[in-house]
Amino acid sequence: MDDFKDLRIVDNFYQTSAFYPMPTILIGTISESGKTNLGAYSLCFPYYVAGKDYYAMILECRNNSNTAQNILRTKKASLNFITDKRKYFKEAVRLGFPGDTTEEKMKNCLFNLVDSNISKDRPQIIKDSFQVFECTWDDSLEEAFNDKPGNLDGYNPPYRNFNGITSKFGAHFILKIDKILMIEKYYNTIINGVKAKNFPRIPVDYGYRDSTNFWYTKFSKPIPEKIQAKEGDISSVIYASSRIDPEVKFTEQACQKLTKIPRIFLKSALTQMVKLAKEERITLIDEKALELINDKRHKEKKRK
C-alpha cells in the first residue's frame, strides 16, 4: 500500500477527491412560466433496472436549482443525451451555471427543441440528442409528495433518505422512465446487433475539478472483449428445464444449446421460452423449436 496516499474526502468527493467518469445529460423541465428549462447534470444514473413494475433513473441535484424546483412542482423531466461535439459540451457547461433564470439561460440556447409526443404538459426534448428518456418523478416513495417547491434558501429537516429533499440543499429524485426515444441509426444498432463502428459518440465528463474548467473527453472507438462464457453441465439444464412446466419438455439436444446461459439467468430464460412455446402450441422444444422461439424473442425485442 506504500504506492497509495490517503486523500481527504470532502464535499463533492466524486469531483474533488477522485477521478470519476460520468455521463453528460441535459435535463428538461417546465418552468412556472410554462417554458422548457435545460440544466446540465452528470449525477443521473440507472436505479431500478429489473424486478420492479417499472424502470427508473436517480437524479442527485441541488434542491434550489431550476431543475429541482420544477420537478417538485410538475413531476416531469426529459433526460437528453448529447454527443461529444465541442460546441454541445460548451453549451452544456453554460446551461449548468447556477443562478440564471430560465428566461436568461434559454434566450439564445444552441439546441433545437421539439414537443414531447406523450402530452403537451411535458418538457420539450432536444432534437440534437441521440437518445432521450421521458420521465415522471415517483413522489410516492418516502411520501416525498409532501416536499414542495419554494424554499430557495434551503430546506429544514426532517429529510428523506433517498427520494425528495434529502438535506438542507440536496435532493434525490427517482424518475420513472415512461419512454426511451432513440434516433434511427442507433435504434437499428441495438435491434440488429451492436458493432464498434455504430456506437453513438458519447462524451465522458470528469466533473468540476478547479475554479476554471469543466473537463470531458471526446468519444473513442470502443474495444470489444469476448465474454468468457462458462458452459454449465447439461444435466443441470435438463434438471431445471424439467421443472418449469409439466406440459412443455426440452430435448437433450436443445438443452445442450442452452448450457452457456449463466446459471443465475437460466430459470428466467427457460420460463420465457416455455411461455413462447405455449403461444405457438409447442409441447416439445427440440433444436428446430428452439430456433423458432429464439427468432420470436428477437422479433419481440425489435417491436419494443
Side-chain angles (χ1 to χ4, degrees):
M1 295 294 291
D2 291 342
D3 292 337
F4 289 91
K5 300 295 183 182
D6 188 358
L7 190 64
R8 187 166 64 97
I9 304 173
V10 297
D11 287 353
N12 295 325
F13 66 89
Y14 64 95
Q15 298 171 324
T16 55
S17 303
F19 293 95
Y20 196 82
M22 299 175 288
T24 302
I25 300 174
L26 289 170
I27 298 184
T29 54
I30 300 177
S31 70
E32 288 188 275
S33 65
K35 188 177 181 64
T36 294
N37 177 90
L38 294 178
Y41 289 89
S42 288
L43 295 180
C44 191
F45 308 99
Y47 191 74
Y48 290 145
V49 298
K52 300 282 288 185
D53 59 355
Y54 65 89
Y55 303 101
M57 302 286 285
I58 183 168
L59 167 65
E60 304 168 43
C61 61
R62 291 181 297 105
N63 60 37
N64 59 358
S65 67
N66 291 327
T67 298
Q69 291 291 304
N70 291 341
I71 292 176
L72 287 169
R73 192 182 66 261
T74 70
K75 303 177 176 53
K76 306 298 183 185
S78 64
L79 312 185
N80 302 269
F81 294 75
I82 57 174
T83 58
D84 67 350
K85 290 183 179 180
R86 185 68 182 269
K87 66 178 182 178
Y88 286 178
F89 193 78
K90 183 176 182 179
E91 181 72 341
V93 171
R94 186 186 73 81
L95 291 168
F97 192 83
D100 289 346
T101 66
T102 297
E103 286 68 27
E104 288 170 338
K105 69 163 57 180
M106 298 301 293
K107 183 178 180 181
N108 297 306
C109 181
L110 171 69
F111 297 106
N112 299 299
L113 300 179
V114 295
D115 291 340
S116 164
N117 61 6
I118 297 179
S119 63
K120 294 293 186 182
D121 64 342
R122 288 179 174 265
Q124 292 178 300
I125 64 176
I126 297 177
K127 187 177 181 181
D128 314 276
S129 305
F130 65 86
Q131 71 179 12
V132 179
F133 294 177
E134 295 197 80
C135 301
T136 301
W137 176 37
D138 186 351
D139 65 349
S140 67
L141 300 173
E142 282 204 290
E143 298 185 341
F145 51 79
N146 289 311
D147 293 338
K148 305 299 181 183
N151 295 350
L152 301 184
D153 294 326
Y155 285 76
N156 295 320
Y159 300 120
R160 316 289 170 197
N161 290 314
F162 66 92
N163 188 46
I165 304 301
T166 52
S167 67
K168 185 175 180 63
F169 294 109
H172 289 62
F173 296 104
I174 308 303
L175 301 175
K176 175 185 176 183
I177 301 174
D178 301 313
K179 183 173 287 192
I180 293 179
L181 304 171
M182 190 172 298
I183 64 173
E184 186 173 6
K185 176 182 178 180
Y186 303 119
Y187 170 90
N188 291 335
T189 295
I190 287 181
I191 296 301
N192 299 325
V194 176
K195 296 180 180 179
K197 67 178 182 179
N198 293 330
F199 271 74
R201 299 192 62 88
I202 302 174
V204 174
D205 171 20
Y206 288 94
Y208 186 76
R209 298 198 172 276
D210 53 40
S211 60
T212 307
N213 299 305
F214 273 91
W215 294 83
Y216 88 109
T217 182
K218 294 175 73 68
F219 176 81
S220 179
K221 183 179 178 181
I223 301 170
E225 181 64 36
K226 287 289 185 182
I227 297 172
Q228 303 300 314
K230 296 180 180 179
E231 290 199 27
D233 185 351
I234 187 174
S235 62
S236 64
V237 180
I238 293 173
Y239 178 86
S241 66
S242 66
R243 281 157 177 75
I244 299 298
D245 192 295
E247 298 177 4
V248 180
K249 301 297 183 184
F250 289 74
T251 66
E252 183 174 335
Q253 292 77 12
C255 288
Q256 182 63 57
K257 289 184 172 294
L258 302 175
T259 55
K260 289 187 178 181
I261 298 176
R263 184 174 299 178
I264 193 172
F265 302 129
L266 182 60
K267 183 178 179 181
S268 61
L270 292 171
T271 300
Q272 184 186 27
M273 291 176 188
V274 167
K275 177 178 178 292
L276 294 174
K278 284 190 165 185
E279 290 176 1
E280 297 294 325
R281 300 183 183 276
I282 295 172
T283 57
L284 181 65
I285 299 179
D286 55 16
E287 292 178 279
K288 184 176 180 181
L290 187 61
E291 185 177 338
L292 175 66
I293 290 169
N294 284 333
D295 183 58
K296 187 171 182 180
R297 291 172 72 192
H298 175 75
K299 288 179 178 177
E300 284 195 354
K301 181 181 177 183
K302 190 172 182 178
R303 281 200 298 272
K304 292 178 180 179

